[in-house]
Amino acid sequence: MIQQSATFPRPHAADAESALRDDVVQLGVWMFLATLVMLFAAFTSAYIVRRSASDWTPLELPGILWVNTVALLASSGALERARVAGRRGRVSSARRGLATAAALGLAFLAGQLAAWQELAARGVYVPTNPHSSFFYILTATHGVHVVAGLGLLVYAVTRAWNGAPLDHGPTARLMTASTTFWHFLVGL
Amino acid sequence: MREGRIPSKVPVEAFFAGGLFLLTGILGVAYGARTWFPPLASRHGAGIDAMLLYLLVAVGALFLCGHVALGLLIWRGARQPQVTHRLATAKTEWALSAALGLLMALVAEGGVLAIGIPVWSEYFGAAPPRDALLIEVTAQQFAWNVRYPGEDGVFGRTETRLIDDVSNPIGIDPDDPAGVDDVTLINQIAVPVNRPVTVRLRSKDVIHSFFLPHLRVKQDAVPGMTPEMVFVPTRAGTFEIACAELCGLAHYRMQGVLHVLSEDEFRAWLQEHGSR
Amino acid sequence: MVDVLVAPDREAEVGTLVEEHEEQPGFVRRYIFSTDHKIIGIQYILTGLFMAVVGTLLAVLIRLQLGWPEQQWPLLGRVLPGGFTDGVMGPEFYLALVTMHGTIMVFFFVSYVLVSGFGNYLIPLQVGARDMAYPFLNMLSYWVAFLSAGVMLASFFVTGGAAAAGWTSYPPLSAVPTAVPGSGWGQTLWILSMALFIASFTMSSLNFVATIFCLRARGMAMMRMSLTVWSFFISAILGLLAFPPLTAAAVMLLFDRHFGTSFFLPSGLVVANEVLPHQGGSPLLWQHLFWFLGHPEVYVLILPALGIACDILPVFTRKPVFGYRIQVYNLVAVGVLSMVVWGHHMFVSGMSPFSGEYFTLVTLLITIPMTIFGVNMIASLWGGRLLLATPMLFTLGVIAFFGTGGFGGLFLGNATADMQLHDTYFVVGHFHFMIGGVTLLATFAGIYFWFPKMFGRSMSEAWGKVHFWLTFIPFFIVFFMQHFLGLQGMPRRYYAFTSYEFLQTTMGQNVVISIAALVLMGAQLVFLANFFSSLARGRRAEANPWRATTLEWAAESPPPHGNFGRTLPVVHRWPYEYSVEGLEADYTPQTVSPREAPVTA
């Protein structure tokens, strides 16, 4: 009845098909980002409205958050350089950049956890006050997506180290997609 | 291809199909054309009823026309041996659509806005008149706590921690002198006829909705908020209060009574319920 | 934007299938964890039909209670001891029924069958692609959807029973476990199930949009796509943009319920004699977030129904749909407008009256494209040669229900009339016509229409017609009458209304409605019997039994993996080339070249 194939379409029709695939994957990433924008916009608008109420007591946020932001920005820069290097065929440069980006991403997550720990030590938990509730929820939601992005990066790292080409094909697409996603999370 | 005359005999199946829609239209209008509203008892309610009636007539006519058109087109189409080739040009399609859109906007929507905006403004926009009777209604699972401010016209302070379901359901502070003359009841309200009433709604637990079907009054009672609305009862009598927002197990029997009395009767009633 | 699939000289190679001697994957990979959009589409349809049966059984119980309140049902009392005491239904069970009926029908029936099911099945076929843009993601979307349905069904069996705060789950009722029994574990599972559903639907929507944008066959310009595809396109975009606020709201509700936050819970709440510690939240925030999704969601559901109806009409009138371009613009306009009207669900919620005026205005605006859409459907019948097959009967029903239900919207969409009608049976009657009637009839029309393509067999026409008559008439009776119950003031979600003086006259009407509803629901057995027996023993169908022009009919029935054989189709014309003057055949498929038949659009 219905035949299933394992490889489809055939590899030697690669070029045009691959270029189309690049576009299809990128379009998917951008659409997904639109969805995420709406998600964070929902949280943010709720936050803004809540902030205007009379019983709002702002939290003093831990200083390490700035360090984390810098780490994530640096990670983003490293990843972008890695992607460009990959597209130009400079494989070892791309691999290094990927690994750096992943490491810095990990550092960001660790730093975020440290921020949470600092707040907890001060007795500020999720339900303590509206600002803390929003802070934890927003950073948690962002963090979950960073973990997912990190997963993509680690996957890209393993593929790159196993010799997959970085200037075209699935791994290149993965790198482009991950980079877009990563930049978005950094921007957020 | 030359078109022949369309034969006059409708195939059996199409006869019934077209007839179905024709009958639906006719019977639907016949069913709908009767008095459905609970008898009116408020001033702004007249505007709401006018809106409802306007829509019933307008929509009823459109409903009938639409179904008749559907039925007749089915009969016609089933008799045609071939397609009519005077197909509409794109320009015709655009023109017809635009005309229809404009017609709708002016008639249906225009009517709605013309009738509706004054009512909405009166209900919510206008500042409550000076002689309005102020009543506070605090909804809870599953009763309406009613409070009058008493002679001083001021409500006593309430506090959550003072709430006792049996003796002090809305938590009136006994130390507040303004609260001493407050009159409290459960599930009963009385108001004088032809005088504006302002209801200040509160809720102790979940969202309820204060619904007076005969007076065309409905407002959600939201915990954390105190929405207010004004209405003028125009007919003496006893009217039911129902809850119109799902609030839990006994949502269906959160029943209250509104007495609309003459001024004298009202004063007597308040006196009677005030002396606790 | 990529408009053309691939360079012409590569086409033959790109379209090549695997050679015959390659090994076939096993049953599990072919039919269970398949990435073939056709299998996934059918999986969605079958799951949705199952959930529809569950939702219908819930409705049976609801109507039994409303038609005969205080009645004893000893048999039911023995089968469902949790919901009945001495054979009489309890209010906590009733509220769970009402909540779950709504949730299951909206998300797990209509969305699964009409949007995900037909969408997945038809889009690649109708645009001329071999599969969806992300086949693996597609498979994932189905299994997450399956899991979501499972979690939702599981919620019936936890302590306290299923969620009971309505499908709209307004806090504080849904946020405080002691406010109603279903707000215990039932509500938590409801939230988790919805989170899974949204994830699944997002994956589906990504696929729909990417496939339609990027994978159309050569010659398939956007304005040569069928209205079915257009409707899925707009639906998917709406889904991508509108669901996230509900995700955010669901997360916040979960936190309010389990982690002590106060997103929706103000201070001073006293529930079950206990003062709650929450501070400063707003129940209205939930309503805004919920309805920001909730309103576009109903268009996500109804647009595909309308698109499918518009495409079935030409096949059975043998002439083009009236105003194709206008219909496309209507779909787009409705999609855009649907995102700014959500407040018409909140006129008496306590939000600012100024907002009420704004939402009335935009809601009135949205009626315009919808009305033009409906009139164009009726106009499509003008001058046509009518063939009354089962799909056409249901499609005519779609037009009737769309009009009837749509008119009710005029009442509810303006703040003034809504004051009296909010939360009454008028609303129930209205939305059942739209997302219960239009979508239901369109689903049936679609199933009868595409069954031959999907399964290579035909359903019984005779039984199909019986099904139509037994569905249309009782459905109309039930939900038309409910509008008038609303005018009489009968509120929603009432377990019983026997104690109210002003509702005494509605008792008889409720009995009539319940009887009609039972007939309606029983009639669906005719459909199920037809469906399954035709699967097993139906007459074999050819590739194009309805003589239609869209691309899916160019493939075999059922289409093989890869859909179109060695070469992808090339499109030369729009999908409505019916009864073109001067030609012998009364239809020209989209793939026929201009040399063989003139192109009209």
Side-chain angles (χ1 to χ4, degrees):
Chain A
M1 216 173 100
I2 297 181
Q3 302 206 339
Q4 190 114 346
S5 74
T7 58
F8 183 84
R10 310 198 106 170
H12 68 258
D15 299 343
E17 186 69 11
S18 189
L20 174 67
R21 195 69 200 153
D22 285 351
D23 285 335
V24 169
V25 170
Q26 269 305 89
L27 177 66
V29 175
W30 282 108
M31 288 195 295
F32 184 59
L33 293 187
T35 302
L36 285 183
V37 164
M38 294 302 288
L39 179 68
F40 284 98
F43 279 125
T44 309
S45 63
Y47 169 72
I48 291 174
V49 171
R50 186 69 184 82
R51 214 169 49 162
S52 61
S54 52
D55 66 338
W56 182 264
T57 44
L59 264 178
E60 200 192 299
L61 294 173
I64 195 173
L65 289 174
W66 290 111
V67 178
N68 298 342
T69 308
V70 170
L72 203 60
L73 273 163
S75 168
S76 198
L79 186 59
E80 180 65 22
R81 281 197 306 277
R83 184 186 71 85
V84 169
R87 284 279 169 180
R88 293 199 187 133
R90 289 175 18 229
V91 173
S92 56
S93 180
R95 285 180 187 168
R96 275 201 312 272
L98 258 177
T100 314
L104 285 169
L106 209 56
F108 168 81
L109 284 172
Q112 294 289 86
L113 280 171
W116 282 6
Q117 270 185 330
E118 191 188 314
L119 282 174
R122 270 197 260 152
V124 179
Y125 302 96
V126 176
T128 305
N129 65 54
H131 192 181
S132 74
S133 302
F134 273 105
F135 176 78
Y136 276 106
I137 276 201
L138 277 165
T139 48
T141 309
H142 182 256
V144 161
H145 289 89
V146 169
V147 168
L150 203 57
L152 286 178
L153 286 186
V154 167
Y155 182 53
V157 165
T158 48
R159 283 181 75 104
W161 248 262
N162 286 335
L166 299 177
D167 57 346
H168 68 275
T171 313
R173 280 193 277 275
L174 176 63
M175 285 192 69
T176 313
S178 315
T179 313
T180 314
F181 186 48
W182 200 251
H183 289 332
F184 172 77
L185 288 174
V186 173
L188 216 52
Chain B
M1 224 179 286
R2 201 173 63 87
E3 282 169 41
R5 268 190 63 242
I6 299 173
S8 52
K9 199 158 160 5
V10 180
V12 175
E13 218 183 346
F15 175 75
F16 282 109
L20 173 69
F21 294 105
L22 275 168
L23 269 180
T24 303
I26 295 170
L27 292 177
V29 171
Y31 181 78
R34 66 187 76 171
T35 322
W36 294 103
F37 312 155
L40 181 62
S42 76
R43 195 174 68 193
H44 78 280
I48 293 183
D49 283 11
M51 172 71 88
L52 289 173
L53 217 52
Y54 170 78
L55 285 171
L56 280 172
V57 170
V59 160
L62 291 170
F63 171 84
L64 183 64
C65 287
H67 278 82
V68 167
L70 209 51
L72 292 180
L73 283 171
I74 291 172
W75 280 354
R76 190 173 195 276
R79 286 179 292 157
Q80 288 195 197
Q82 55 225 13
V83 168
T84 312
H85 284 292
R86 279 187 321 264
L87 298 174
T89 59
K91 265 215 319 246
T92 322
E93 293 174 355
W94 280 103
L96 284 172
S97 294
L100 178 69
L102 216 54
L103 191 70
M104 271 225 65
L106 289 172
V107 176
E109 268 99 65
V112 165
L113 287 172
I115 300 177
I117 291 187
V119 179
W120 189 250
S121 311
E122 179 191 331
Y123 191 68
F124 277 124
R130 306 204 66 219
D131 64 337
L133 171 66
L134 179 61
I135 304 176
E136 180 199 74
V137 174
T138 305
Q140 72 171 70
Q141 290 179 321
F142 299 95
W144 305 99
N145 297 294
V146 182
R147 183 156 72 135
Y148 294 80
E151 287 293 322
D152 63 355
V154 179
F155 288 113
R157 225 168 43 89
T158 55
E159 242 191 76
T160 311
R161 59 176 179 83
L162 297 171
I163 289 179
D164 177 290
D165 237 12
V166 177
S167 61
N168 194 357
I170 56 177
I172 301 178
D173 185 352
D175 297 330
D176 185 0
V180 171
D181 62 348
D182 287 359
V183 178
T184 57
L185 304 106
I186 297 191
N187 293 332
Q188 268 202 86
I189 311 180
V191 294
V193 69
N194 290 321
R195 192 147 64 99
V197 178
T198 303
V199 175
R200 179 178 301 165
L201 278 175
R202 296 167 58 195
S203 170
K204 269 169 73 173
D205 39 36
V206 298
I207 302 180
H208 301 265
S209 192
F210 186 69
F211 180 34
L212 295 169
H214 301 81
L215 283 85
R216 317 293 189 252
V217 166
K218 185 179 293 155
Q219 175 58 50
D220 282 5
V222 185
M225 296 170 68
T226 51
E228 281 183 22
M229 39 47 191
V230 183
F231 60 91
V232 181
T234 51
R235 191 159 62 84
T238 307
F239 306 102
E240 288 171 298
I241 307 171
C243 181
E245 184 59 53
L246 177 61
C247 56
L249 290 183
H251 168 59
Y252 70 101
R253 49 180 175 77
M254 227 173 111
Q255 205 169 352
V257 180
L258 173 78
H259 304 283
V260 179
L261 309 163
S262 71
E263 280 288 348
D264 294 331
E265 285 171 330
F266 170 66
R267 250 176 277 125
W269 181 94
L270 202 55
Q271 191 86 308
E272 184 196 325
H273 289 263
S275 45
R276 284 177 277 156
Chain C
M1 187 164 89
V2 179
D3 209 4
V4 171
L5 177 62
V6 99
D9 57 324
R10 294 292 199 150
E11 190 186 274
E13 295 167 82
V14 168
T16 308
L17 276 174
V18 158
E19 274 145 21
E20 283 74 16
H21 66 252
E22 188 170 302
E23 215 175 281
Q24 287 272 36
F27 181 85
V28 171
R29 275 234 46 219
R30 266 203 290 167
Y31 295 110
I32 312 286
F33 293 109
S34 170
T35 56
D36 185 313
H37 72 100
K38 298 184 292 296
I39 301 290
I40 294 172
I42 292 172
Q43 286 175 317
Y44 266 114
I45 290 176
L46 292 175
T47 308
L49 287 178
F50 173 77
M51 294 303 273
V53 171
V54 175
T56 306
L57 290 172
L58 300 180
V60 168
L61 294 171
I62 293 171
R63 282 318 316 178
L64 286 180
Q65 169 61 24
L66 289 177
W68 301 275
E70 295 150 19
Q71 175 82 8
Q72 281 186 309
W73 309 96
L75 183 61
L76 289 172
R78 261 181 287 140
V79 173
L80 302 162
F84 292 78
T85 319
D86 292 331
V88 179
M89 187 188 292
E92 57 286 324
F93 188 61
Y94 180 80
L95 291 182
L97 287 176
V98 156
T99 302
M100 296 302 276
H101 168 78
T103 305
I104 288 177
M105 289 307 217
V106 167
F107 293 112
F108 298 95
F109 167 44
V110 181
S111 185
Y112 278 13
V113 179
L114 194 61
V115 190
S116 300
F118 279 119
N120 270 304
Y121 194 90
L122 293 173
I123 291 175
L125 282 169
Q126 287 201 339
V127 301
R130 296 207 176 277
D131 207 307
M132 284 287 193
Y134 317 113
F136 180 77
L137 202 66
N138 210 12
M139 179 197 69
L140 203 61
S141 91
Y142 171 71
W143 286 105
V144 174
F146 184 83
L147 186 62
S148 168
V151 171
M152 191 56 83
L153 290 176
S155 75
F156 275 112
F157 301 103
V158 295
T159 326
W167 85 285
T168 48
S169 286
Y170 282 9
L173 187 64
S174 62
V176 180
T178 46
V180 73
S183 284
W185 276 104
Q187 187 71 50
T188 298
L189 287 183
W190 186 96
I191 295 173
L192 292 174
S193 168
M194 288 309 300
L196 288 168
F197 175 89
I198 294 172
S200 160
F201 197 82
T202 303
M203 292 188 254
S204 255
S205 301
L206 289 173
N207 253 317
F208 284 20
V209 179
T211 307
I212 293 172
F213 250 142
C214 302
L215 299 187
R216 283 169 285 132
R218 208 163 116 240
M220 178 64 85
M222 294 287 276
M223 287 314 242
R224 282 182 179 170
M225 296 192 318
S226 67
L227 283 167
T228 302
V229 174
W230 269 109
S231 67
F232 282 122
F233 184 56
I234 307 289
S235 255
I237 294 178
L238 273 183
L240 284 175
L241 297 176
F243 267 109
L246 181 60
T247 314
V251 169
M252 292 193 274
L253 185 61
L254 205 63
F255 271 68
D256 271 8
R257 289 172 51 77
H258 292 283
F259 301 116
T261 51
S262 304
F263 292 109
F264 307 121
L265 298 171
S267 43
L269 289 182
V270 180
V271 181
N273 267 314
E274 200 194 313
V275 179
L276 299 178
H278 302 278
Q279 300 278 334
S282 167
L284 246 54
L285 174 62
W286 167 272
Q287 292 183 40
H288 280 294
L289 291 171
F290 180 88
W291 286 115
F292 189 87
L293 161 79
H295 196 77
E297 167 67 10
V298 307
Y299 289 98
V300 168
L301 299 176
I302 209 174
L303 291 186
L306 297 175
I308 286 175
C310 276
D311 276 352
I312 293 182
L313 280 174
V315 182
F316 297 98
T317 55
R318 309 312 289 173
K319 65 185 286 282
V321 70
F322 185 94
Y324 166 70
R325 274 186 180 256
I326 301 171
Q327 299 295 66
V328 172
Y329 294 137
N330 278 328
L331 288 174
V332 174
V334 169
V336 170
L337 284 171
S338 75
M339 299 210 68
V340 296
V341 298
W342 78 89
H344 66 230
H345 299 269
M346 297 170 60
F347 283 132
V348 297
S349 65
M351 72 174 181
S352 102
F354 178 70
S355 308
E357 290 182 354
Y358 160 75
F359 282 115
T360 298
L361 276 164
V362 281
T363 307
L364 289 178
L365 274 181
I366 207 174
T367 63
I368 298 180
M370 289 270 80
T371 306
I372 298 177
F373 197 96
V375 172
N376 280 354
M377 286 200 287
I378 297 181
S380 298
L381 297 170
W382 178 268
R385 179 168 81 92
L386 214 68
L387 302 163
L388 278 176
T390 306
M392 184 56 165
L393 280 173
F394 277 104
T395 303
L396 292 168
V398 166
I399 301 177
F401 281 4
F402 183 58
T404 309
F407 290 136
L410 274 174
F411 288 78
L412 297 169
N414 74 85
T416 308
D418 189 59
M419 273 163 60
Q420 183 66 358
L421 300 175
H422 172 75
D423 221 67
T424 64
Y425 264 80
F426 196 97
V427 182
V428 180
H430 166 71
F431 69 66
H432 274 94
F433 261 100
M434 302 310 264
I435 56 174
V438 170
T439 53
L440 183 71
L441 295 193
T443 300
F444 287 139
I447 291 180
Y448 286 102
F449 189 63
W450 278 297
F451 190 95
K453 179 58 54 184
M454 289 183 186
F455 303 112
R457 296 176 183 273
S458 298
M459 288 178 76
S460 155
E461 266 291 293
W463 283 110
K465 292 176 184 177
V466 170
H467 177 217
F468 168 74
W469 286 89
L470 287 179
T471 299
F472 184 92
I473 296 175
F475 188 98
F476 189 88
I477 293 174
V478 171
F479 298 108
F480 190 70
M481 285 180 73
Q482 287 190 350
H483 287 84
F484 298 96
L485 284 180
L487 288 176
Q488 291 164 81
M490 183 174 165
R492 286 174 76 173
R493 297 161 170 172
Y494 267 36
Y495 161 76
F497 45 87
T498 41
S499 57
Y500 287 90
E501 191 67 49
F502 80 102
L503 293 177
Q504 290 305 309
T505 48
T506 62
M507 307 258 263
Q509 292 162 59
N510 270 294
V511 174
V512 173
I513 290 174
S514 288
I515 295 175
L518 292 173
V519 171
L520 170 68
M521 297 188 261
Q524 305 318 305
L525 293 171
V526 171
F527 166 74
L528 289 172
N530 191 354
F531 185 87
F532 286 107
S533 84
S534 303
L535 270 180
R537 296 179 297 133
R539 206 174 12 102
R540 290 241 171 246
E542 43 180 279
N544 194 355
W546 308 113
R547 296 180 306 127
T549 57
T550 37
L551 284 185
E552 74 271 29
W553 303 105
E556 292 162 32
S557 295
H561 183 62
N563 295 340
F564 295 107
R566 283 186 73 84
T567 44
L568 282 170
V570 177
V571 172
H572 298 284
R573 58 193 74 233
W574 72 330
Y576 304 112
E577 297 263 4
Y578 291 96
S579 298
V580 174
E581 208 155 358
L583 293 180
E584 218 186 285
D586 77 338
Y587 75 111
T588 314
Q590 284 189 280
T591 48
V592 171
S593 87
R595 279 177 270 116
E596 295 175 51
V599 174
T600 56

